[in-house]
Amino acid sequence: MTNIGILGAGRVGTNLAGKLSAAGHHVTLGGRSLEAAAAPKAGLAPRIAFADQRTTARTTDLVINATPGESSLERLIDLRTELSGKILIDVSNATRDAADGLPGDLCYPGSSLAEKLQAALPDTHVVKTLNTMLFMVMTAPESLATPPTAYLSGNDEHAKKTVTGLLGDLGWQPERIEDLGDITTARATEAMILVVPHILRRHGFKPFAVSLAS
């Protein structure tokens, strides 16, 4: 059982909160304010706590970044003290919106949000994962006809082992988790977001993931 904080109370954050709480973890959902965090309360497990993001980062042991990727770096730098010594799981993609509101160009071409976060938060162990799929697949990988892949990037091996355990609680089988290496490998998985708008325009908003077939 882990005390998990989730920064971001949108679809990604609430989806993860529900599944991790059901798996037995203590979960705090953090919004930009306490009111924003509690807004999606209906339908969530009653034992999920709600707080602002600073309180969430300070009072939990492991933190998930589910804030919008284009503003994540600024938000999390402001939480440097609260995140010190903790594992930060980054599931966001930093893109600029296209004209139709779908993901557009990368905010950090030649780098990645995860790398930027690790450089800005040297006392935090950043692990990138779950950013190569629509949010509903993060907590239900078994829902796809083709087994999806969850990629891992991070500098700290212990942190990645901890995150692998949490992925198991979300339904991911060990053979479907691919450790790519250090945090610089996150630029590869973050670049996969570039295919997403084309898939969505062609097939609509249906669950999918970018997977490794072998």
Side-chain angles (χ1 to χ4, degrees), residues 11-180:
R11 292 180 298 184
V12 175
T14 54
N15 185 48
L16 290 169
K19 187 64 175 281
L20 289 170
S21 177
H25 298 286
H26 294 299
V27 177
T28 301
L29 192 60
R32 300 197 74 168
S33 66
L34 177 57
E35 293 75 17
K41 189 173 183 178
L44 289 176
R47 60 182 174 273
I48 295 175
F50 301 90
D52 61 84
Q53 291 179 0
R54 189 174 302 279
T55 301
T56 298
R58 185 180 69 250
T59 59
T60 54
D61 301 321
L62 182 150
V63 179
I64 299 174
N65 173 41
T67 64
E70 68 274 14
S71 61
S72 289
L73 185 58
E74 180 181 358
R75 295 189 196 201
L76 271 62
I77 285 176
D78 189 47
L79 301 176
R80 182 186 291 109
T81 300
E82 290 80 4
L83 293 170
S84 179
K86 299 180 181 181
I87 295 173
L88 175 66
I89 303 175
D90 178 31
V91 303
S92 295
N93 286 303
T95 62
R96 297 177 174 85
D97 285 346
D100 57 3
L102 293 176
D105 293 336
L106 298 174
C107 291
Y108 308 112
S111 185
S112 64
L113 172 59
E115 289 174 82
K116 297 290 186 182
L117 288 170
Q118 186 61 84
L121 306 169
D123 298 322
T124 301
H125 303 301
V126 179
V127 178
K128 189 81 182 191
T129 193
L130 296 180
N131 62 305
T132 55
M133 61 200 72
L134 287 190
F135 73 93
M136 62 284 285
V137 181
M138 295 179 177
T139 58
E142 73 284 354
S143 65
L144 297 185
T146 302
T149 303
Y151 303 96
L152 281 180
S153 300
N155 294 340
D156 188 90
E157 294 301 319
H158 174 72
K160 287 194 286 187
K161 184 176 181 180
T162 299
V163 174
T164 297
L166 283 181
L167 290 176
D169 291 339
L170 293 174
W172 292 88
Q173 299 300 314
E175 64 271 17
R176 301 308 306 171
I177 300 172
E178 190 74 21
D179 186 346
L180 299 179

